[in-house]
Amino acid sequence: MDRWIGKVAVVTGASAGIGAEIVKDLAKAGICVVGLARRAERVEALKDGLPEEFRKNLHAMRCDVANEEEIVATFAKIVEKFGGVDILVNNAGIGKFDVKLTERGSASSVNEIVKTNLMGVINCTREAVASMRDRDVAGQVIHINSLLGHKVTMPPSGVDSNLNVYPATKFAISALTESYQFEMVAENRKIKFSSVSPGVVATEFFDETTLKNLQHFPHLLSSDISQAVLYILSTPSHVNIQDVLIKPLGCRY
């Protein structure tokens, strides 16, 4: 991890859950972290949970990753203020589990999921890699994927089971991870792309009822996913972790 000290990491969806855990852990590792979220004030509030000596490492910016214009403007601000992007963690994601794909009137929800989970990743990655190219740095991009990006299974009883287009967006992330790496190989660049694919994680991604039901089933915590991100960043420069699949012990999916 030493080579990342003082470098700049951008984490999307940083206001809660997995993203919040990642920005705190990266800040404690001595990395300059820019947490992006629609609720930027919640990212700013995360400083209170950090040891005083690391609070200066965490910075909050408002950005809706479903909006390409906001992404372009935000990354331009990051480059201007911090000099560039060395690490990108694409964490932002949503699900609309009360809408069926086959229902009329579902188009708005489906489009929102695709804009956030897929186009948000594509647009943020484009801007981050442009910064890495401009400075010819050996950067790292990490996508927070899902086991549903490899195999679609029914969630446990008590957990919303109407998955909508969510798994399709995560399958796309699995494909993109490889496609991006092929581009870097063709350009002879040392920018690494990795994916972290967890099973069910108990976060605000779910409603209160579902979170309560999850306590009776094997599940992961946000800190488990953040540790996987730290592991990827700790690998030697010649090692590329393409995907990390994480299941809670005792799960049946």
Side-chain angles (χ1 to χ4, degrees):
M1 291 291 293
D2 288 350
R3 74 179 185 277
W4 297 114
I5 293 176
K7 301 298 184 181
V8 179
V10 176
V11 181
T12 68
S15 63
I18 294 171
E21 202 68 31
I22 291 171
V23 296
K24 289 188 292 184
D25 282 347
L26 293 181
K28 287 186 286 187
I31 298 169
C32 174
V33 186
V34 183
L36 306 185
R38 290 176 293 182
R39 303 172 293 180
E41 68 281 358
R42 293 189 61 173
V43 180
E44 187 69 25
L46 294 174
K47 291 182 179 180
D48 295 337
L50 289 172
E52 188 172 354
E53 66 267 30
F54 298 119
R55 292 176 186 173
K56 66 182 185 298
N57 293 339
L58 179 55
H59 309 270
M61 285 192 182
R62 189 198 178 282
C63 183
D64 180 357
V65 299
N67 186 317
E68 183 178 2
E69 290 183 0
E70 280 194 31
I71 290 172
V72 173
T74 301
F75 275 81
K77 289 178 184 176
I78 292 170
V79 170
E80 180 181 359
K81 184 172 182 179
F82 300 103
V85 180
D86 302 293
I87 300 166
L88 171 65
V89 181
N90 283 308
N91 167 72
I94 62 171
K96 296 282 186 176
F97 303 125
D98 57 342
V99 178
K100 294 182 180 179
L101 281 170
T102 52
E103 285 180 343
R104 285 176 173 166
S106 65
S108 177
S109 293
V110 170
N111 288 337
E112 187 179 356
I113 297 168
V114 172
K115 284 181 180 179
T116 301
N117 296 8
L118 181 54
M119 295 310 301
V121 169
I122 291 172
N123 293 328
C124 287
T125 300
R126 182 191 65 232
E127 298 304 310
V129 170
S131 172
M132 296 174 190
R133 279 192 182 117
D134 289 345
R135 295 170 297 124
D136 194 26
V137 300
Q140 172 77 64
V141 179
I142 301 173
H143 306 309
I144 303 302
N145 196 343
S146 170
L147 290 180
L148 290 171
H150 301 268
K151 181 180 180 181
V152 181
T153 59
M154 291 292 289
S157 175
V159 178
D160 289 314
S161 59
N162 181 27
L163 297 174
N164 198 300
V165 75
Y166 181 83
T169 62
K170 292 303 184 178
F171 262 83
I173 297 305
S174 296
L176 282 172
T177 302
E178 295 198 45
S179 297
Y180 284 130
Q181 198 62 64
F182 291 155
E183 286 191 14
M184 296 302 100
V185 171
E187 294 180 18
N188 195 30
R189 294 190 183 275
K190 296 182 179 180
I191 301 172
K192 299 197 285 186
F193 282 83
S194 303
S195 172
V196 178
S197 298
V200 175
V201 185
T203 70
E204 292 180 17
F205 185 83
F206 299 106
D207 59 36
E208 289 185 13
T209 301
T210 302
L211 277 175
K212 185 176 180 180
N213 290 333
L214 269 182
Q215 304 310 310
H216 303 291
F217 300 96
H219 61 275
L220 298 165
L221 304 176
S222 296
S223 56
D224 302 323
I225 317 310
S226 184
Q227 288 302 306
V229 169
L230 293 178
Y231 163 68
I232 289 170
L233 291 171
S234 71
T235 57
S237 58
H238 69 282
V239 173
N240 186 65
I241 305 297
Q242 180 161 315
D243 201 0
V244 178
L245 276 67
I246 310 174
K247 292 184 178 184
L249 186 65
C251 75
R252 295 179 179 273
Y253 52 84

